[in-house]
Amino acid sequence: MKTPMRKLLASRVSALWLVVAIVAACACAAAPTLSAQPTAAQAASAPAAPTAQAVPSAEQVRKILTQISEITGMALKRPVPIAVMSKEEWGRWVNDRMRESVKPEELRVEETAMKMFGFVPADFDLRAATVDLMTEQAAAVYDHKAKRMIIVQGAAPDEMQEAVLVHELSHALADQHFDMHRFLDKGPRSDESEAARLAVVEGQAMWIMLEAMLNRSGQSLKTNSAVLELMLPAMRDMAAAQYPVFGKSPLYLKESLLFPYSAGLKFQQAVVEKMDREAFAAMLRDPPRNTHQIIHPQLYLAHEVPATVEPPEAEPRDKTKKLTDGDIGEMDVHVWFEQYGSKQEADKLAPAWRAGRFELVENRATKKPLLRWAILWDSPESARQAFALYLKVVEGKSQGLIWKQRTEALAEGSNQWGGLRIRWEGARTEGLEGLP
């Protein structure tokens, strides 16, 4: 699904907490025993209080870029300009990017879709939450439109500054070889494609940052992938312990913010293991098609052609106005099933996802929204299980729910949005929500 947060991230708003969480976890995971998984409490106490860091020297930047070039095989073509902002200036910058990338009507529509899907509560303010999350996090950003790096004063603890620089300068070097504005903003107009490309960009920067850190002690992710296995499972809890706005956010926003970094990092590791440093340029030339390929890199390496599916028809087209449409990806269904079922159920069933689409329309007369969606699974049995789990989602997200009919393959009823019709047939599940 589209989210304003994803658009801000694609506009090069990076998140400090992920860098801090990764670095804190890496410090534990890279210890000689490689046995202790970092806890949320350890992560919360790990970083020192940030100070007003100085602008890095040209020599420091040059050395970091040289190291990134050695890791990736991409040569430095030109210096990277650096600007410094106060936290107040940074907050205004985020607000400006929000206004540029997400129009008010678009924000209203996306918020409505997220509420109807059950990703956020009925009284949720998506714009305010997105701005609060992004202003809480960032320490530095590479702005691929202005071709400059921005450092936020006092946002990064001193010991984290170099890690932040490596992360963002990795974006800068990639931009000199593959125009990131074109890669992120001008690619295929698909939610899933955009999410996959963002995961490539952030996953690469995270991998380079960790590789640079490990290189100091003579280690490498190429020979020590156990570091990732130890730290990645703890990332969400660590971030929640360190940052209160993130900790209180709905699961969907947490996962939307986390996914490009955590899943992108695992994807990068898998492709590097197959292609070595050729992987960096290869996946920017030929990026994955969807988040399913990010989560399952073997499908990307096998050049899988994604399946497609279309939502069911509802009211006559002349009675409705289209508000938005988009993809329902594997990450989306995982959040559904974890939020309203359990993580175990989500882990088991979400990988069976094969395609998903939705459309949100508005009745021209009543102005009420109608959501229509469909998801294709790998088998009829997976679709049957997904149908049963989605009924839990409906029960969890609804107010005033009344079931009128429930069979093994069809459920009809009503909630605060209007009528409901959820069904499965073959390897497909589908829904109409908000019916008159």
Side-chain angles (χ1 to χ4, degrees), residues 367-379:
K367 304 300 181 184
K368 290 184 177 180
L370 169 66
L371 180 65
R372 59 191 197 98
W373 58 266
I375 300 173
L376 184 67
W377 304 90
D378 66 352
S379 68

Side-chain angles (χ1 to χ4, degrees), residues 43 121 176 188 194 198 269 352 366 379 412:
Q176 293 185 7
E194 291 172 1
L198 185 59
Q269 176 69 19
T366 65
S379 68
E412 294 182 315

Side-chain angles (χ1 to χ4, degrees), residues 97 129 141 144 163 167 210 254 307 337 357 391:
R97 297 294 83 72
V141 58
H144 64 240
H167 183 101
L210 286 173
K254 291 178 183 175
F337 299 154
R357 289 289 293 173
L391 296 189

Side-chain angles (χ1 to χ4, degrees), residues 277-384:
R277 74 177 188 175
E278 291 298 319
F280 296 96
M283 64 180 67
L284 290 170
R285 281 194 298 264
D286 181 23
R289 305 277 292 276
N290 54 31
T291 59
H292 189 57
Q293 292 185 353
I294 292 289
I295 299 168
H296 309 283
Q298 70 275 14
L299 301 179
Y300 167 74
L301 293 166
H303 306 286
E304 178 206 52
V305 178
T308 60
V309 69
E310 291 300 324
E313 290 296 333
E315 296 181 294
R317 288 284 177 172
D318 60 353
K319 293 185 178 181
T320 61
K321 179 180 73 172
K322 177 180 172 180
L323 298 178
T324 189
D325 62 1
D327 299 319
I328 304 171
E330 181 176 339
M331 188 206 81
D332 300 324
V333 300
H334 192 284
V335 170
W336 263 341
F337 299 154
E338 179 178 353
Q339 182 173 340
Y340 295 102
S342 69
K343 188 175 186 304
Q344 291 73 23
E345 290 172 311
D347 289 345
K348 179 181 177 181
L349 190 54
W353 173 99
R354 290 298 176 267
R357 289 289 293 173
F358 77 92
E359 183 181 59
L360 182 67
V361 300
E362 183 178 79
N363 185 290
R364 293 183 183 276
T366 65
K367 304 300 181 184
K368 290 184 177 180
L370 169 66
L371 180 65
R372 59 191 197 98
W373 58 266
I375 300 173
L376 184 67
W377 304 90
D378 66 352
S379 68
E381 175 58 22
S382 294
R384 183 193 67 78

